[in-house]
Amino acid sequence: MTDTDDLHGSYTYHDTLKGVYYGPGCVRTALPKLLSVLGGSKALIVTGKSLRDKTNVVKNVEDILKDNAAFGGTFSEIGQHTPVQGIVRGVEAFTTAGADIAISIGGGSPIDATKAIIFFLHQKKGGRFTNHIAIPTTLSAAEYRSGAGYTNEQGNKVSVSDPMIAPAGIILDAELTLATPEELWLSTGLRALDHAVESLYRPGLPPPLKVLCYSALVDLFTYLPKSKEQPNNLKVRQKLLIAAWMSLWPAKVETYSPLGLSHSLGHKLGATYGIPHGITSCLTLAPVVLLKAEIASAEDKAALAEALFYLKEPSTGSVDGDVKRLGGMIDELVRSLGLHRTLVSYNVPKANLPSIAKLALAGDDPAYQPKVEALLESIYEQ
């Protein structure tokens, strides 16, 4: 038995998601299986220029498709924050190629772009939704969401959502992440941590999934530092891919609800000021958790405080203190990974902080706006 044999397996969801395959090197067998299950005969790969031009990841997938007579082309015009222009050109590329299935490779931008392409294709042509196989190379976990965020012509973050645009197949292969730049890999790990933390107080999330979020917290705290120390360790990378899966486990819930303030702030900061998704979580998650110690409900505070038990961290003696300790631990993790940043470093005008706070709180109690402004000021230049 090799060191990674216990990290291989599969999981099938009964509705849209037909299979998640995981394990180092699994793409070679998983991709042909998913093509067979989903009935794909000609695939268009959707990815970004850097991944296509600077690594062998896309070529390796192309070769597998060619070996199975299923290669329909590669579209690599997807940029950070998924500009809508790339989506429009992606729809054209898919149609021109005569493709019947889409394969996204990369992080959140190409995965969300592929979901949006499928959404617009369906609006244009009707009929059944095109199937989508996602092959993530980061820890952003976009592959588990049925929504797709992109940037419109005005530079604002918008989204489309439909259960049928979620990937029908997902391949978690640690070997394909080896070429991912360190900052991108580790910062999207903080994005996964953001998913897990904010899911603890997300309305409507079933209790068993919250237990998965606690498990994701433990593995992210454990394996992100190890991945920085041992960047070529496939077992560590595979553990992190699975932790990202646990942080945003695909599920059907009766009422969809957004994640929380850290994500909302990240959306407002990311597209407008060109801050990568993972870095927005490095900026906002720890301060938001600290703020929750002041303003959250007793139930939400208790859910956050419980994280210390799973992290084997002693209680401070009070729920509020435990929530603050969790926020402090997140800040320590960010700094230890070399991911500490400020809003100044991304040229966010200080005069814009009140409007960012107001937009992030849309639909929430406006009485909290001064506290959110203070939160933004705390990460402005320190």
Side-chain angles (χ1 to χ4, degrees):
M1 178 180 288
T2 66
D3 199 33
T4 59
D5 279 350
D6 61 332
L7 300 179
H8 287 74
S10 64
Y11 160 82
T12 301
Y13 186 59
H14 68 85
D15 196 355
T16 308
L17 181 55
K18 303 303 181 186
V20 178
Y21 290 84
Y22 54 93
C26 72
V27 68
R28 292 184 285 274
T29 55
L31 185 52
K33 286 179 184 177
L34 283 170
L35 289 171
S36 176
V37 168
L38 300 174
S41 60
K42 183 178 282 190
L44 179 74
I45 293 172
V46 179
T47 189
K49 283 186 172 64
S50 293
L51 198 60
R52 184 200 65 188
D53 297 341
K54 298 179 180 179
T55 78
N56 290 324
V57 172
V58 175
K59 183 182 182 302
N60 289 341
V61 176
E62 288 176 345
D63 289 344
I64 295 169
L65 292 173
K66 289 173 183 177
D67 289 343
N68 288 270
F71 180 59
T74 295
F75 176 77
S76 58
E77 298 180 34
I78 303 301
Q80 182 175 282
H81 296 294
T82 324
V84 69
Q85 296 86 349
I87 294 169
V88 172
R89 290 193 293 272
V91 171
E92 295 170 356
F94 192 91
T95 303
T96 301
D100 58 9
I101 191 166
I103 298 176
S104 60
I105 307 176
S109 292
I111 292 171
D112 270 9
T114 305
K115 288 185 281 186
I117 288 168
I118 290 169
F119 184 88
F120 290 133
L121 276 169
H122 184 262
Q123 281 196 321
K124 183 177 180 180
K125 296 184 176 181
R128 71 174 185 84
F129 283 85
T130 301
N131 280 323
H132 171 194
I133 298 170
I135 305 177
T137 59
T138 75
L139 300 168
S140 67
E143 58 272 15
Y144 306 111
R145 297 172 55 248
S146 60
Y150 62 93
T151 306
N152 65 16
E153 293 88 345
Q154 290 74 43
N156 297 318
K157 195 76 172 181
V158 295
S159 63
V160 294
S161 182
D162 191 293
M164 298 308 295
I165 68 173
I170 299 170
I171 299 173
L172 306 178
D173 185 337
E175 288 185 1
L176 300 181
T177 73
L178 289 170
T180 303
E182 180 184 83
E183 181 176 294
L184 179 59
W185 175 249
L186 298 176
S187 66
T188 54
L190 263 294
R191 189 67 169 177
L193 189 67
D194 205 340
H195 297 323
V197 170
E198 295 218 304
S199 290
L200 295 177
Y201 46 77
R202 186 180 190 181
L205 194 73
L209 297 193
K210 294 193 177 186
V211 177
L212 284 176
C213 290
Y214 287 123
S215 293
L217 278 172
V218 172
D219 281 356
L220 291 163
F221 266 97
T222 301
Y223 292 106
L224 283 171
K226 289 184 178 180
S227 193
K228 183 175 176 63
E229 295 167 5
Q230 306 169 40
N232 295 321
N233 188 318
L234 286 175
K235 182 174 182 178
V236 168
R237 285 178 171 268
Q238 194 66 55
K239 286 279 192 179
L240 286 169
L241 284 169
I242 294 170
W245 178 14
M246 291 192 293
S247 79
L248 203 61
W249 193 267
K252 291 175 66 177
V253 294
E254 292 184 7
T255 303
Y256 173 81
S257 62
L259 276 160
L261 180 59
S262 180
H263 277 73
S264 183
L265 285 168
H267 291 153
K268 302 303 176 289
L269 291 167
T272 305
Y273 302 105
I275 306 175
H277 289 304
I279 295 296
T280 64
S281 291
C282 296
L283 286 163
T284 62
L285 180 57
V288 164
V289 172
L290 292 173
L291 180 59
K292 287 289 182 181
E294 295 182 41
I295 68 172
S297 67
E299 182 180 5
D300 289 350
K301 288 181 183 181
L304 288 168
E306 184 73 7
L308 295 192
F309 169 80
Y310 288 90
L311 292 167
K312 297 182 179 178
E313 179 76 6
S315 172
T316 65
S318 73
V319 171
D320 289 0
D322 288 354
V323 176
K324 290 178 181 178
R325 179 63 191 128
L326 176 62
M329 291 178 69
I330 294 168
D331 182 63
E332 291 163 12
L333 178 64
V334 170
R335 292 174 185 274
S336 72
L337 296 174
L339 296 173
H340 176 68
R341 301 289 186 273
T342 67
L343 294 179
V344 167
S345 59
Y346 290 97
N347 300 312
V348 179
K350 197 167 188 177
N352 291 4
L353 300 187
S355 62
I356 295 168
K358 183 176 181 180
L359 288 169
L361 282 169
D364 290 333
D365 191 341
Y368 293 142
Q369 184 171 334
K371 291 185 179 292
V372 178
E373 288 181 34
L375 180 158
L376 289 168
E377 288 182 6
S378 76
I379 59 175
Y380 187 71
E381 56 186 347
Q382 294 182 358

